[in-house]
Amino acid sequence: MRETPTSGRRGCLPLCSCESIMAAFKGIWTKPFWRAVSGEFLATLIFVLLSLGSTINWASGTENPPPADLVLISLCFGLSIATMVQCFSHISGGHINPAVTAAMVVTQKLSLAKGLFYIVAQCLGAIVGAGVLLLVTPSAVRGGLGITAVNSRISVGHALVVELLITFELIFTIFATCDPKRSDLKGSAGLAIGIAVVIGHLFAIPYTGASMNPARSFGPAVVTWSWESHWVYWVGPILGGILAAALYEYLYCPDPELKRRCKEMFIKDASGKYKEVECAGNHHVGEADDIVIKPGSSSDAEKDEKKESFQDSSGDGLSSV
């Protein structure tokens, strides 16, 4: 049956809506995108499995079990995250933490669509990692399986502040050590990030268990189904991460081009009106799916991702995974 002009107009609305959605999520139809998402899943799985394993007290069944070794736990968390960042930074950026991903989205270094997929992958990886640890650990020594809990001597509000501060310290370290604008960077960024995690744990384990990472708390909470004050381990780290990223990126070390454009926003023309600032071409306001957490300029992996994305958009159609 032939389509009338009226029916054609009616059918345009769903089509336009579909095209808008496809445009917003066009980056998810590429192999590099899913490679990055799967990298976040695997990195978080390994990190949670190894790190939570350090909290298992194998002497808990004895008559006088020793207390948890805070130094051992702190070093295991820090060295694990440093290793995973070193292994996966060129694949996905090595976030391994929803607070890091949220900070990257807020500072426009990562698209919202990619950020959402990253957080889902991180949470799923944490659940699988905690589940594997549950399966391989004898029930007599599992204890709380490394769940994060607020110390009964402090209030939930104080716990929120502690999580905010230690995550602030971590995210600020990430932005400072992975800033491509700096020419004085030497050594390993992954190791610096790992040390920041160690410091946060050494300080905050007695207070809150030192999450610094919503996915790290989410995994064992799902496996053990323990949700007491769990919201603290999402709100605190994400707020701390966003605050640290915003202060570093827009106050302490702003991009020169962004700073110039911000100044131009407050300059009036001859007619007394404020000038209209053109934002096109500024990577801070455009798509930034290729920006990853590591020092230096774009890597070969980033260039390949850009090239493949361009080929997908200019060829016969979008590539399938």
Side-chain angles (χ1 to χ4, degrees):
M1 187 175 81
R2 293 183 62 186
E3 188 180 67
T4 64
T6 304
S7 62
R9 284 193 297 269
R10 282 199 298 265
C12 180
L13 290 177
L15 180 61
C16 294
S17 177
C18 182
E19 288 177 351
S20 299
I21 295 174
M22 291 288 288
F25 289 86
K26 62 181 180 180
I28 73 172
W29 307 113
T30 62
K31 289 181 180 179
F33 176 89
W34 289 105
R35 186 162 55 238
V37 171
S38 64
E40 284 296 305
F41 170 84
L42 182 59
T44 310
L45 187 159
I46 297 172
F47 165 68
V48 170
L49 173 63
L50 299 181
S51 301
L52 292 186
S54 68
T55 67
I56 302 298
N57 190 348
W58 287 86
S60 59
T62 60
E63 184 176 349
N64 294 311
D69 191 336
L70 301 188
V71 176
L72 168 66
I73 296 172
S74 301
L75 286 174
C76 187
F77 272 87
L79 294 177
S80 295
I81 201 68
T83 303
M84 291 302 100
V85 168
Q86 195 71 22
C87 291
F88 289 90
S89 63
H90 66 292
I91 298 173
S92 65
H95 294 194
I96 322 172
N97 187 338
V100 175
T101 301
M104 291 292 158
V105 171
V106 168
T107 54
Q108 302 182 35
K109 295 181 179 293
L110 192 75
S111 70
L112 179 60
K114 195 168 189 177
L116 292 175
F117 276 89
Y118 267 29
I119 292 175
V120 171
Q122 291 157 1
C123 290
L124 291 177
I127 293 172
V128 175
V132 171
L133 182 64
L134 180 70
L135 290 175
V136 301
T137 306
S139 58
V141 298
R142 285 175 187 164
L145 206 71
I147 61 171
T148 48
V150 177
N151 193 312
S152 59
R153 300 181 185 180
I154 66 174
S155 67
V156 176
H158 291 158
L160 180 67
V161 173
V162 169
E163 284 295 324
L164 187 151
L165 291 176
I166 59 176
T167 312
F168 180 98
E169 173 253 351
L170 171 62
I171 304 300
F172 204 93
T173 300
I174 291 174
F175 273 75
T177 56
C178 302
D179 187 353
K181 301 188 297 292
R182 294 180 61 182
S183 59
D184 61 328
L185 290 172
K186 289 181 172 45
S188 170
L191 183 58
I193 295 168
I195 292 174
V197 172
V198 171
I199 294 171
H201 278 73
L202 287 173
F203 163 69
I205 285 178
Y207 290 87
T208 63
S211 174
M212 309 175 76
N213 185 335
R216 171 259 181 272
S217 294
F218 184 72
V222 171
V223 172
T224 62
W225 208 250
S226 176
W227 302 99
E228 184 178 359
S229 303
H230 183 72
W231 64 272
V232 169
Y233 301 103
W234 282 90
V235 177
I238 290 179
L239 285 180
I242 291 174
L243 181 61
L247 286 177
Y248 184 88
E249 198 71 16
Y250 300 121
L251 178 62
Y252 291 111
C253 296
D255 183 86
E257 179 65 15
L258 176 65
K259 188 175 181 180
R260 182 185 66 81
R261 293 182 183 277
C262 289
K263 286 183 177 180
E264 290 180 355
M265 292 173 62
F266 299 98
I267 298 177
K268 294 182 179 180
D269 57 19
S271 62
K273 296 181 179 179
Y274 287 104
K275 295 173 61 177
E276 183 176 349
V277 180
E278 178 61 46
C279 294
N282 186 352
H283 74 271
H284 283 276
V285 295
E287 286 193 29
D289 286 306
D290 298 322
I291 298 178
V292 298
I293 305 180
K294 62 180 185 294
S297 58
S298 299
S299 65
D300 293 337
E302 292 176 272
K303 295 175 182 177
D304 292 341
E305 184 175 341
K306 292 177 182 176
K307 181 179 179 182
E308 186 168 349
S309 299
F310 174 78
Q311 291 174 344
D312 290 336
S313 61
S314 61
D316 294 333
L318 296 171
S319 65
S320 58
V321 180

